[in-house]
Amino acid sequence: MGNKQTTFTEEQLEAYQDCTYFTRKEILSLHGRYRELAPHLVPLDYTNNPDIKVPMALIVTMPELKENPFRDRIVETFSEDGQGNMSFNDFVDMFSALCETAPRELKTIYAFKIYDFNRDNFICKEDLQKTLNKLTKGELTPEEVTLVCDKAIEEADLDADNKLSFSDFENMISKAPDFLSNFHVRI
Amino acid sequence: MPGDTLITSENDTDIELDFAGVEDFQENHKREKHYGKRRNGDRQQNKRENQRRKRSSKSVQGIREESQSKTERRERSRRRKGKAEHETSGHEGNKRERDQTRAKSTKSKKNIKNEKTRKLEGKEDGEAQEKSEKGKLKLVCAKNEEKIESGDQLKEKEKALGVKKKKKRRKKVVETSSEPETSEDGDDEEEVNNDGEVRPELLSPEELEKLKEAVDEKKKLIQSLRGKPWPMKQKLVTLRESQLFVEKYEGALGKGKGRKLYAYKVMMTKKWMKFQRDFENFKTACIPWEMKIKEIESHFGSSVASYFIFLRWMYSINMILFGLTFGLVMVPEALMGRPYGSIPRKTVPRAEEAGAMDFAVLWDFGGYAQYSVLFYGYYNNQRAIGWFKFRMPLSYFLVGVGTVAYSYMVVIRTMARNANESGIGDDNSFNFSWKMFTSWDYLIGNPETADNKFASITTSFKEAILEEQESRKDDNIHLTRFLRVLANFLVLCCLAGSGYLIYFVVRRSQKFALDGLENHSWWERNEVNMVMSLLGMFCPMLFDVISTLENYHPRVALQWQLGRIFALFLGNLYTFIIALMDAINLKRKEEKVVKYNITMWEASLYNGTGSENSTAPPITIHPADVPRGPCWETMVGQEFVRLIISDTMTTYITLLIGDFLRAVLVRFLNHCWCWDLEAGFPSYSEFDVSGNVLGLIFNQGMIWMGAFYAPCLPALNLLRLHVSMYLQCWAVMCCNVPQERVFKASGSNNFYMAMLLVILFLSTLPAIYTIVTIPPSFDCGPFSGKNRMFDVIQETLESDFPAWFSKVFSYASNPGLVLPFILLMVLAIYYLQSTSKSYKEANVELKKKLQMQNEENKKKNKQAALKAQMDLEEARKSASQTAVHQRNNNDSVQRREDDEEIDNKNQRMYHGRNPSPSVGNREPHFPVRDPGPRNAHNGNHGNPRYLPGFHQQSEPRMCRVPSLERH
């Protein structure tokens, strides 16, 4: 599906390759995946850049995201309108940032945005609690959650404002051994 | 502050304008000099244009105050360019700029639209502060409008430029792909303004330089575009515009002779980039099994996939080994060596001829298989074969050494790379944060795996909490200790037992071999391999059961388990080798007897014919009838090949029975069984990563050990790995369930590599021992007739190289030189080791320092924030005080009521630096800010801000600090 050359023009493919970490084959297969989500919505022919958006409810059914506790946040972060409606560009962008070859800096920026639930550019306690509850499916007691959040903030907060700014987050993540291996999605 | 970002973007735009306007600038000047009269509107626009240019160019006089400050700010913004935020806005502006300069038809409308979108973005950025910054925004709007007009102006200039370029081209007859376009565009739009402004002037060198810089910058931008955290749409637009820019101006660069060269260079780089990209595409397409592994990864997480990646890596190594042995040993011998049946060593002996083609014999690698290129004994000791004098024995020796050397190299290199990647770990300062932000494996796409992951994350959090509280109770330390000792004792018994069993079996098989294999059953013939495989299969299970006694943390338990299996395999392998050594010694004794017999036989042969004339044509005896020695090398090779085969078979059969059959039974018997088979006892099997990796490693060890005596081993192994890739992929996907405990795979990679290295060393040891100490058989193999196998080197040196070379070599190899050399190496190793140790120490020291610095920074920041807060309070107070005063003056009625408050405030004012918390709660009526504290705060903070909109937050945060302190 979508492997016909008519899906994109040669220039589009080149441009996508310039803007992402994908090869042309991967871009074509991405388009196939995108189209699978909503076959009636997404045309096969993308040469004239149709302005089509697939809603979040459909995007999160992808097997790559289906089990991810942060799927809604991921989709919201990468969608241009912030509501989770994704155009093909957003779609490609998302998987490019999450792919294996993307550099740590880029991943860090997006990880911060994903974990920043209320989008105030800080990861505050509520964000941490939400993260933790998603990670453990709410199986920790409230006291445990508070304790863990306090500890996490205490560890990573460098400027003592009791929330994590991006630089705190970056500093913390840059030393994490598993971040790169875990923060990627294969497509 | 949002205003900041807006203004910065403005400035960046200015920069771009400068670059784009460089050419126009001179143009403009000339124009004004020579043609004083121009159309009115044009001139007006020109004026604005000039204002803009003045900012950038210092040669132009009359720099206004404002523009100067702008230049400064621009400088600043340029310095900060690395930051994503600024870059974003910068290129935003840039985009706009490109729109303007590129515009061919009237595009002012579009420009305005662009402005609007940009403004909108700015607004989004500055939502919070929008109100307070309204004035600034207005200013920006005004500026933008001005710029739109100037953009139009620029466009006109552009046209002129196009024409100019055309002229230039005519003059110089230099064509680049982009230039004709430009000039044609210019032609098209020349209608109105081109009364006579065409000037064939050349650009001055500085401007060229500037242009070049701009082009280079664009190129850099294109290259780094994929790493930018922007939405794709913006990236695409930026890309297109940058490309257009580069294409347009690249041709204008360079002049005279250099120009052609430059154009050529540009073209070549383009072609090269294209080629590289295609090559990259091709390369990724060539990686085998990528899709399979990805599928597994998404189902089972990264740890199971890591096994398959390891398998693939092993496959690639074996591919190389196979290429070496096949291309340099087997094929030359088969093609250029003497054909089968020409000499005794290449012929099946008469006694075996009858059954040489039987499948049972071939399956044991006897008969025709034994007397073929697959084994050492088949090779002839002829020095050079074929028409181009291929040095067969030398090649055989070098390939044997080369494969081992290559394997060492690859393993060590991979280890070093892995060590580099995981060098940052092992510091526990962010335990909870890491658990929180990096523990979810984004690859997981299977509900069961996800459930397991959730469970394991929860457990790990609970464990961490327990550790944190340090209230972990040890229930019965004595019992645990006793159980652990008991478990280790049991394991040791197992190991010793398995070792003895193997030794016993090997000795017995030698007895069978002496009796002649034909008299024994299949089991007796294959006893050794079967016992080894069965031990390898069941002992790990036993260990697993034993390890439940120990009650270790799962990760520790896994390490113990791995260590035990490793010991078991190693013990088995070495018992096998020791038994094999015995066999070799037996064979060599036999060989001596045979050798004596042969001389007797030859003598009798000659005597029997009675012919005393030695020059008479020798009696032709069919090579199959010639008696021959036992050829221990082939025997060793055969043993290893059989071992590999039986090992492979056991692996596959276990897979089919243990996984597939079990899964089928559980699946279909579940309907008619008394308990739930899927959830209860047998259930489905898990994929055992560590066991499989260990199996793979040991298999590889056997290959390394036996490859010298059986050149076919790498080929066999390649086949095996290929099949197991498909078989295991299938088995994993169809009949395994995800592991209950999911471990991270990243940390253990080097652990496996270290094991591989140990195995490599241990397996080359016996091979080297046999090569160096045992003389080769007298009538088989490429080294027959030599005292030692490595004599082939000596021989080659003497006969194939000039005399001086062998002389030099003999000098170099005398002990007087070799010993100092070895000493030197030892010294070097010692030196390197001690330096690395000191580096490590320094590293630890630095880490400590860094941590202290961090702590200090925390404290400092806290203090700075406090101070800033106080200053802010003060400013606010003074402001509100003045307000109150004003009110007092205006409204005399309320004076009485207000009096108290004023006093209060005054008091606070005089108390100065100690605002009570209640003040913090006061709404800031007047956004009067003292720049001093803010600067101090920023300076102390010192952290780079990458995210857009960060600046907006600094103010509320300052307010929040004391309120948090109250908690």
Side-chain angles (χ1 to χ4, degrees):
Chain A
M1 198 138 105
N3 267 352
K4 275 180 225 153
Q5 220 37 247
T6 49
T7 310
F8 294 106
T9 62
E10 205 54 32
E11 283 161 39
Q12 277 177 313
L13 279 175
E14 288 289 314
Y16 276 126
Q17 285 181 67
D18 267 325
C19 292
T20 65
Y21 293 93
F22 290 127
T23 59
R24 58 183 297 136
K25 199 178 142 203
E26 283 167 320
I27 287 161
L28 286 172
S29 81
L30 265 178
H31 177 260
R33 295 297 306 276
Y34 185 63
R35 195 159 173 261
E36 252 172 49
L37 293 173
H40 54 285
L41 262 178
V42 183
L44 184 63
D45 180 25
Y46 243 79
T47 44
N48 50 354
N49 282 322
D51 186 28
I52 283 160
K53 293 193 168 176
V54 174
M56 176 157 83
L58 285 175
I59 300 266
V60 294
T61 56
M62 290 184 74
E64 281 80 8
L65 296 174
K66 201 177 60 198
E67 296 302 330
N68 199 316
F70 307 109
R71 52 185 176 269
D72 294 356
R73 277 302 301 155
I74 297 175
V75 175
E76 273 170 24
T77 305
F78 283 97
S79 63
E80 214 176 358
D81 58 359
Q83 302 299 313
N85 300 319
M86 287 194 129
S87 64
F88 180 65
N89 282 339
D90 299 334
F91 190 75
V92 172
D93 207 22
M94 174 167 78
F95 284 108
S96 169
L98 287 174
C99 81
E100 213 174 359
T101 36
R104 188 181 271 267
E105 296 78 42
L106 188 68
K107 282 177 185 254
T108 312
I109 289 169
Y110 280 118
F112 183 79
K113 285 188 184 171
I114 286 170
Y115 293 123
D116 179 16
F117 283 81
N118 52 12
R119 299 179 216 184
D120 62 351
N121 286 328
F122 285 99
I123 293 182
C124 50
K125 268 203 184 134
E126 294 86 69
D127 295 330
L128 284 177
Q129 275 166 9
K130 271 184 198 162
T131 310
L132 196 56
N133 282 331
K134 276 182 189 283
L135 263 184
T136 58
K137 281 195 168 172
E139 282 184 19
L140 294 181
T141 61
E143 294 85 56
E144 282 171 331
V145 170
T146 333
L147 178 78
V148 170
C149 293
D150 285 344
K151 286 307 276 182
I153 285 199
E154 189 185 302
E155 280 165 4
D157 185 20
L158 292 184
D159 46 11
D161 54 2
N162 259 10
K163 50 190 175 180
L164 305 184
S165 65
F166 178 68
S167 51
D168 296 335
F169 185 77
E170 194 189 25
N171 177 42
M172 184 263 296
I173 283 290
S174 67
K175 290 170 192 159
D178 298 338
F179 176 63
L180 279 191
S181 62
N182 279 343
F183 195 75
H184 84 258
V185 171
R186 293 244 194 183
I187 188 80
Chain B
M1 301 291 118
D4 264 353
T5 54
L6 278 176
I7 285 171
T8 332
S9 69
E10 191 79 357
N11 289 335
D12 275 358
T13 320
D14 279 357
I15 300 172
E16 303 300 340
L17 263 170
D18 293 341
F19 286 136
V22 162
E23 289 154 277
D24 318 37
F25 166 58
Q26 208 188 17
E27 183 79 4
N28 208 3
H29 255 252
K30 293 274 153 67
R31 211 181 290 159
E32 277 182 358
K33 228 187 268 171
H34 293 263
Y35 296 79
K37 51 175 178 181
R38 302 179 51 136
R39 285 188 305 142
N40 250 358
D42 221 345
R43 197 175 294 162
Q44 216 172 10
Q45 282 167 339
N46 249 330
K47 232 189 244 164
R48 288 205 198 99
E49 192 71 27
N50 266 343
Q51 284 167 3
R52 186 164 308 288
R53 275 165 202 154
K54 273 171 198 164
R55 288 175 211 153
S56 67
S57 162
K58 276 161 193 163
S59 62
V60 182
Q61 294 179 354
I63 301 166
R64 292 182 307 179
E65 281 270 303
E66 183 203 319
S67 65
Q68 202 167 22
S69 68
K70 272 210 157 192
T71 326
E72 277 168 27
R73 256 185 282 170
R74 199 181 309 149
E75 284 297 318
R76 229 191 305 143
S77 73
R78 212 181 295 194
R79 256 179 269 131
R80 278 184 293 179
K81 242 192 166 165
K83 296 180 189 176
E85 164 197 2
H86 294 283
E87 224 159 29
T88 318
S89 44
H91 292 303
E92 195 92 35
N94 181 2
K95 169 176 78 184
R96 192 157 45 89
E97 165 56 23
R98 296 302 317 137
D99 272 344
Q100 287 169 357
T101 42
R102 190 169 43 102
K104 274 136 207 171
S105 54
T106 10
K107 276 194 185 156
S108 53
K109 238 196 229 166
K110 197 178 176 184
N111 281 338
I112 288 164
K113 216 169 88 190
N114 260 335
E115 291 299 329
K116 271 182 187 160
T117 51
R118 208 180 65 79
K119 244 155 50 191
L120 268 176
E121 274 168 55
K123 268 181 195 163
E124 268 170 26
D125 276 353
E127 261 174 348
Q129 258 79 22
E130 204 179 10
K131 271 184 200 165
S132 62
E133 301 288 345
K134 227 174 193 172
K136 254 181 187 172
L137 208 68
K138 260 184 203 161
L139 198 87
V140 171
C141 292
K143 259 184 218 156
N144 286 342
E145 268 157 33
E146 185 190 56
K147 208 170 279 170
I148 294 163
E149 282 173 57
S150 63
D152 287 351
Q153 175 66 22
L154 256 178
K155 199 174 59 201
E156 283 157 28
K157 297 292 140 58
E158 194 70 18
K159 290 172 204 161
L161 182 75
V163 179
K164 182 189 73 187
K165 271 188 187 164
K166 201 164 114 199
K167 289 259 165 153
K168 208 166 21 178
R169 190 188 46 161
R170 272 183 208 141
K171 241 176 159 181
K172 301 203 162 183
V173 206
V174 174
E175 275 184 282
T176 61
S177 58
S178 58
E179 247 187 320
E181 266 179 43
T182 327
S183 53
E184 253 139 55
D185 290 342
D187 268 347
D188 291 342
E189 285 158 52
E190 244 171 289
E191 332 102 21
V192 196
N193 299 343
N194 262 329
D195 310 5
E197 297 163 334
V198 184
R199 224 146 311 283
E201 259 80 277
L202 278 171
L203 300 167
S204 78
E206 307 109 62
E207 278 160 348
L208 261 180
E209 203 52 44
K210 263 189 179 173
L211 191 61
K212 207 170 187 171
E213 250 172 52
V215 168
D216 283 347
E217 208 163 287
K218 289 279 175 195
K219 275 185 186 165
K220 252 185 236 159
L221 173 66
I222 290 177
Q223 290 205 328
S224 63
L225 200 59
R226 55 180 66 170
K228 297 269 191 292
W230 310 336
M232 181 63 70
K233 213 186 235 168
Q234 186 188 343
K235 276 198 248 183
L236 285 175
V237 170
T238 316
L239 174 75
R240 203 167 46 238
E241 279 154 7
S242 309
Q243 276 173 343
L244 274 174
F245 183 89
V246 168
E247 220 162 76
K248 203 170 198 174
Y249 290 109
E250 213 158 40
L253 291 177
K255 52 179 184 180
K257 258 195 214 159
R259 193 180 164 108
K260 214 168 190 170
L261 193 71
Y262 187 81
Y264 179 70
K265 239 164 64 184
V266 166
M267 200 180 69
M268 283 319 283
T269 29
K270 250 186 220 162
K271 284 257 163 70
W272 175 240
M273 295 280 281
K274 179 100 178 70
F275 171 74
Q276 266 183 327
R277 173 163 292 168
D278 287 347
F279 187 68
E280 206 64 28
N281 284 349
F282 174 72
K283 237 171 43 185
T284 45
C286 279
I287 296 175
W289 305 306
E290 189 71 7
M291 291 321 286
K292 267 182 189 298
I293 291 177
K294 277 179 188 177
E295 205 183 334
I296 289 171
E297 210 166 38
S298 65
H299 268 84
F300 292 88
S302 49
S303 72
V304 174
S306 77
Y307 165 72
F308 286 95
I309 292 170
F310 187 67
L311 181 62
R312 189 173 61 183
W313 181 78
M314 217 60 138
Y315 186 84
S316 71
I317 287 186
N318 276 289
M319 197 71 141
I320 303 277
L321 299 189
F322 168 72
L324 279 175
T325 47
F326 192 74
L328 291 176
V329 173
M330 287 163 84
V331 169
E333 179 69 22
L335 290 183
M336 299 185 292
R338 290 183 163 192
Y340 172 81
S342 54
I343 45 172
R345 71 184 65 176
K346 297 194 174 196
T347 326
V348 179
R350 191 68 74 195
E352 295 172 26
E353 226 168 33
M357 214 40 204
D358 291 355
F359 180 73
V361 176
L362 286 182
W363 184 247
D364 272 349
F365 286 87
Y368 284 109
Q370 185 182 350
Y371 298 96
S372 70
V373 280
L374 301 184
F375 289 103
Y376 173 93
Y378 180 82
Y379 292 83
N380 198 0
N381 62 345
Q382 200 179 354
R383 262 201 71 233
I385 54 171
W387 51 271
F388 66 96
K389 303 276 176 232
F390 189 75
R391 304 284 194 270
M392 193 58 223
L394 181 71
S395 163
Y396 195 101
F397 188 79
L398 289 185
V399 165
V401 173
T403 48
V404 172
Y406 171 77
S407 313
Y408 269 113
M409 207 183 69
V410 170
V411 173
I412 288 177
R413 209 179 49 194
T414 316
M415 272 182 83
R417 211 172 42 215
N418 281 355
N420 268 350
E421 274 171 12
S422 59
I424 27 174
D426 73 77
D427 111 67
N428 245 359
S429 50
F430 295 113
N431 195 6
F432 281 99
S433 325
W434 284 349
K435 275 209 172 72
M436 186 108 71
F437 294 120
T438 67
S439 59
W440 183 260
D441 191 344
Y442 277 55
L443 284 169
I444 292 174
N446 179 312
E448 273 182 75
T449 321
D451 280 343
N452 290 340
K453 189 78 193 176
F454 280 126
S456 85
I457 289 174
T458 313
T459 339
S460 81
F461 267 118
K462 285 200 165 142
E463 269 171 19
I465 291 169
L466 273 182
E467 264 166 45
E468 191 59 38
Q469 289 167 342
E470 283 176 343
S471 63
R472 194 170 194 169
K473 49 183 194 298
D474 260 339
D475 27 21
N476 192 343
I477 193 125
H478 291 296
L479 181 67
T480 326
R481 239 178 232 164
F482 170 73
L483 282 178
R484 282 177 189 177
V485 170
L486 183 71
N488 278 319
F489 178 72
L490 286 177
V491 168
L492 275 181
C493 285
C494 280
L495 290 179
S498 74
Y500 177 73
L501 192 61
I502 288 176
Y503 190 74
F504 172 76
V505 170
V506 172
R507 292 306 288 267
R508 211 161 76 125
S509 78
Q510 281 159 17
K511 224 188 291 161
F512 294 150
L514 282 182
D515 293 352
L517 283 175
E518 302 77 37
N519 314 325
H520 297 280
S521 63
W522 179 85
W523 169 256
E524 279 168 333
R525 267 180 285 140
N526 292 289
E527 211 173 29
V528 184
N529 310 320
M530 292 313 289
V531 165
M532 275 188 74
S533 307
L534 287 178
L535 279 177
M537 205 168 90
F538 286 111
C539 276
M541 292 185 197
L542 206 61
F543 292 160
D544 210 14
V545 173
I546 291 172
S547 71
T548 52
L549 283 178
E550 292 176 310
N551 198 17
Y552 275 124
H553 181 277
R555 193 165 293 137
V556 184
L558 182 76
Q559 276 165 1
W560 275 96
Q561 173 82 351
L562 279 179
R564 281 166 188 164
I565 298 174
F566 191 76
L568 172 82
F569 281 5
L570 206 63
N572 292 356
L573 205 60
Y574 260 71
T575 341
F576 177 72
I577 288 164
I578 288 167
L580 216 55
M581 285 291 184
D582 284 352
I584 290 175
N585 287 335
L586 276 179
K587 289 264 176 188
R588 288 190 52 222
K589 268 180 212 148
E590 195 188 325
E591 190 182 281
K592 258 179 208 156
V593 177
V594 171
K595 211 170 177 182
Y596 177 75
N597 283 348
I598 285 178
T599 40
M600 298 296 289
W601 175 77
E602 272 177 350
S604 71
L605 206 64
Y606 284 111
N607 289 339
T609 51
S611 144
E612 304 296 284
N613 194 355
S614 56
T615 54
I619 326 98
T620 50
I621 306 167
H622 194 270
D625 297 325
V626 178
R628 58 189 78 170
C631 198
W632 60 266
E633 293 95 335
T634 301
M635 189 266 297
V636 172
Q638 270 176 313
E639 285 298 325
F640 274 107
V641 171
R642 282 184 205 142
L643 198 64
I644 292 287
I645 296 280
S646 75
D647 190 44
T648 312
M649 285 300 133
T650 2
T651 316
Y652 292 165
I653 289 167
T654 349
L655 195 82
L656 284 180
I657 294 177
D659 287 357
F660 183 64
L661 211 64
R662 182 169 153 189
V664 168
L665 285 180
V666 168
R667 181 84 179 75
F668 292 107
L669 283 184
N670 202 23
H671 302 295
C672 47
W673 206 260
C674 26
W675 69 83
D676 188 4
L677 284 175
E678 279 182 351
F681 161 59
S683 89
Y684 299 104
S685 55
E686 284 177 4
F687 187 79
D688 174 20
V689 178
S690 52
N692 274 305
V693 169
L694 272 184
L696 208 58
I697 288 174
F698 272 86
N699 176 52
Q700 191 60 37
M702 283 187 259
I703 301 296
W704 279 322
M705 227 184 276
F708 191 75
Y709 297 115
C712 63
L713 266 183
L716 270 179
N717 197 35
L718 206 63
L719 202 69
R720 171 206 155 112
L721 292 179
H722 202 100
V723 173
S724 38
M725 189 78 188
Y726 285 100
L727 200 65
Q728 286 191 307
C729 275
W730 163 78
V732 153
M733 291 305 282
C734 101
C735 42
N736 280 12
V737 288
Q739 284 162 305
E740 239 171 81
R741 306 185 200 120
V742 186
F743 291 109
K744 52 179 182 185
S746 61
S748 47
N749 270 348
N750 243 7
F751 182 62
Y752 291 135
M753 278 293 158
M755 272 190 191
L756 193 63
L757 191 67
V758 169
I759 286 294
L760 178 56
F761 177 73
L762 290 177
S763 59
T764 45
L765 216 59
I768 288 175
Y769 175 78
T770 50
I771 289 171
V772 172
T773 57
I774 304 178
S777 303
F778 72 99
D779 66 342
C780 69
F783 310 113
S784 57
K786 293 190 180 60
N787 196 22
R788 291 282 186 270
M789 290 179 192
F790 55 83
D791 282 349
V792 72
I793 302 274
Q794 189 79 21
E795 189 194 69
T796 313
L797 279 177
E798 274 165 11
S799 50
D800 287 344
F801 284 92
W804 62 266
F805 191 85
S806 65
K807 216 181 222 168
V808 168
F809 192 81
S810 71
Y811 280 133
S813 64
N814 99 17
L817 272 177
V818 171
L819 279 181
F821 183 69
I822 291 175
L823 201 68
L824 198 71
M825 293 239 282
V826 169
L827 283 180
I829 289 172
Y830 180 72
Y831 170 73
L832 287 179
Q833 206 237 341
S834 51
T835 38
S836 82
K837 210 188 215 165
S838 66
Y839 280 145
K840 227 176 242 168
E841 272 167 21
N843 229 346
V844 170
E845 198 68 24
L846 281 178
K847 240 181 214 170
K848 225 188 265 169
K849 259 187 197 165
L850 212 65
Q851 211 151 12
M852 280 186 9
Q853 194 81 40
N854 272 346
E855 302 275 311
E856 215 165 282
N857 271 356
K858 255 189 207 180
K859 269 185 214 158
K860 242 190 214 164
N861 284 330
K862 224 176 199 171
Q863 279 173 359
L866 252 178
K867 194 169 164 248
Q869 166 65 21
M870 283 173 203
D871 288 352
L872 189 69
E873 291 300 330
E874 206 176 313
R876 205 177 285 156
K877 249 183 291 157
S878 64
S880 56
Q881 201 192 12
T882 47
V884 169
H885 271 302
Q886 248 179 356
R887 237 194 307 160
N888 287 345
N889 290 340
N890 292 342
D891 194 357
S892 53
V893 184
Q894 285 187 348
R895 186 171 289 176
R896 269 172 201 285
E897 291 156 24
D898 283 340
D899 257 343
E900 276 179 30
E901 208 181 322
I902 297 163
D903 284 343
N904 223 345
K905 285 199 181 200
N906 278 339
Q907 259 178 1
R908 270 183 215 149
M909 177 80 164
Y910 295 137
H911 278 299
R913 311 241 142 187
N914 261 328
S916 61
S918 64
V919 182
N921 283 336
R922 222 165 244 279
E923 276 296 311
H925 294 293
F926 297 89
V928 179
R929 263 193 292 108
D930 188 0
R934 195 172 139 248
N935 284 346
H937 174 76
N938 279 345
N940 279 330
H941 193 279
N943 285 320
R945 276 104 186 243
Y946 286 83
L947 280 185
F950 187 100
H951 287 278
Q952 308 156 23
Q953 296 302 330
S954 53
E955 206 179 9
R957 187 172 43 166
M958 280 182 351
C959 300
R960 212 171 282 185
V961 170
S963 68
L964 283 171
E965 274 200 334
R966 278 203 306 276
H967 284 173

